[in-house]
């Protein structure tokens, strides 16, 4: 196919993506990926990976920042993004590509499938996760986001974007159309300050930026009572280390994490097995505040995200 026709088609992909709610569109040629990358097991004919990035509304985080409303983050920033907004953009673009005789295979995270045997996804119920399934056919989504130029990889593995910082989700389309690749980010946002780790209410991020998924799941769901307005004073009353759990100081194992998660009934979950985030991705919020204060984000607002001191309850209220 003539180059100018391919260029027109690539422009149409970008236009259609933006029309359907995509904020950032990136293209990675197949030669940016290792020969044994999962994308080639998923679709051997892949010539281009199309990356689609979507902002998470800054305002959605504010309810948790203020301790006033919590369900909006899970329903609007996670569930509806993953189950409605992102798939719709993928399908519209993919249908257009197929109308032009190219293969198009949408790829988004299946939140309930994991390659690792004894791991979990903090965003969904641990007992809804299928483990060891389709291990060879799960994309490395973070790696693909970097190669598509959607952002850079931060200290804790989160993708950071010039406009939205870590308040960002993404998905992909594999295609046999050969499009002009987007430049990858030259890392410039993350300064390895470690504030994301400091902000975690359960200390789930270690000194090297590695996230313990079970520790994260426990505190994503709200096991830290000093940051959970819905936790009753007698929470975890049958557990010997209840105060350590409530203070965010317990080191959990997969086994103890399951026990703790089974006792967290403080706030209702969303649909599709999504758990309500009580921490509201404190790591991401702290990262965003840091990037905003440094002045490195291109998208500016009339007021700063953090307007007052971070609130916290006294652990004394949980002592019996």
């Amino acid at each position: 196919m003539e180059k100018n026709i391919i260029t027109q088609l690539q422009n149409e992909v970008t236009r259609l993506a933006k029309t359907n709610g995509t904020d950032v569109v990136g293209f990675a040629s197949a030669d940016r990926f290792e020969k044994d990358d999962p994308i080639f097991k998923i679709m051997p004919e892949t010539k281009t990976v199309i990356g689609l990035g979507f902002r998470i509304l800054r305002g959605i985080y504010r309810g948790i920042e203020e301790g006033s409303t919590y369900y909006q983050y899970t329903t609007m920033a996670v569930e509806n993004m993953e189950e409605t907004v992102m798939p719709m953009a993928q399908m519209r673009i993919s249908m257009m590509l197929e109308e032009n005789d190219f293969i198009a295979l949408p790829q988004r995270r299946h939140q309930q499938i994991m390659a690792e045997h004894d791991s979990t996804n903090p965003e969904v119920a641990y007992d809804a996760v299928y483990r060891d399934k389709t291990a060879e056919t799960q994309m490395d989504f973070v790696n693909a986001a970097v190669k598509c130029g959607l952002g850079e990889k931060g200290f804790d593995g989160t993708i950071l974007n010039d406009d939205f910082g870590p308040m960002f989700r993404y998905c992909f389309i594999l295609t046999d159309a050969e499009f002009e690749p987007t430049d990858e980010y030259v890392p410039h946002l993350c300064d390895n300050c470690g504030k994301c780790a400091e902000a975690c209410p359960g200390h789930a991020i270690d000194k090297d930026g590695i996230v313990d998924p079970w520790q994260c799941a426990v505190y994503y769901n709200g096991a830290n009572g000093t940051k959970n307005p819905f936790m009753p004073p007698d929470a975890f009353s049958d557990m010997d280390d209840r105060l350590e759990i409530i203070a965010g100081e317990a080191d959990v194992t997969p086994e103890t994490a399951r026990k703790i998660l089974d006792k967290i009934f403080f706030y209702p979950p969303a649909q599709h097995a999504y758990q309500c985030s009580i921490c509201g991705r404190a790591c991401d919020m702290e990262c965003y505040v840091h990037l905003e204060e440094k002045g490195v984000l291109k998208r500016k607002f009339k007021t700063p995200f953090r307007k007052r001191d971070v609130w916290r309850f006294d652990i004394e209220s949980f002592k019996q």
Side-chain angles (χ1 to χ4, degrees), residues 54-123:
F54 302 78
R55 79 182 79 182
I56 298 175
L57 292 174
R58 184 175 181 264
I60 284 175
Y61 287 89
R62 288 215 54 77
I64 299 175
E65 166 75 4
E66 301 292 347
S68 59
T69 180
Y70 282 70
Y71 71 90
Q72 296 291 1
Y73 173 79
T74 303
T75 57
M76 299 300 292
V78 181
E79 183 180 30
N80 281 304
M81 290 293 288
E82 290 284 343
E83 305 295 337
T84 304
V85 176
M86 291 159 59
M88 182 60 70
Q90 287 178 295
M91 290 300 292
R92 293 278 171 80
I93 296 165
S94 297
M95 286 188 285
M96 185 273 288
L97 288 170
E98 292 205 348
E99 286 295 319
N100 284 273
D101 303 324
F102 290 104
I103 301 172
L105 179 54
Q107 291 287 295
R108 71 179 183 92
R109 287 183 176 87
H110 190 310
Q111 302 287 73
Q112 293 170 250
I113 292 178
M114 298 195 72
E116 300 85 1
H117 170 67
D118 201 14
S119 188
T120 196
N121 176 358
E123 290 188 337

Side-chain angles (χ1 to χ4, degrees), residues 134-194:
T134 64
E136 295 184 353
T137 54
Q138 292 291 297
M139 284 183 62
D140 183 335
F141 286 84
V142 172
N143 179 58
V146 171
K147 293 188 182 306
C148 286
L150 299 183
E152 67 178 75
K153 187 176 178 180
F155 175 72
D156 63 348
T158 300
I159 293 297
L160 307 179
N161 176 270
D162 275 331
D163 283 318
F164 312 111
M167 298 180 177
F168 194 63
R169 297 186 84 92
Y170 44 89
C171 56
F172 303 92
I173 298 169
L174 309 182
T175 181
D176 58 347
E178 295 190 61
F179 293 132
E180 190 69 24
T182 305
D183 290 338
E184 296 183 48
Y185 266 52
V186 175
H188 61 284
L189 294 172
C190 182
D191 57 9
N192 293 312
C193 68

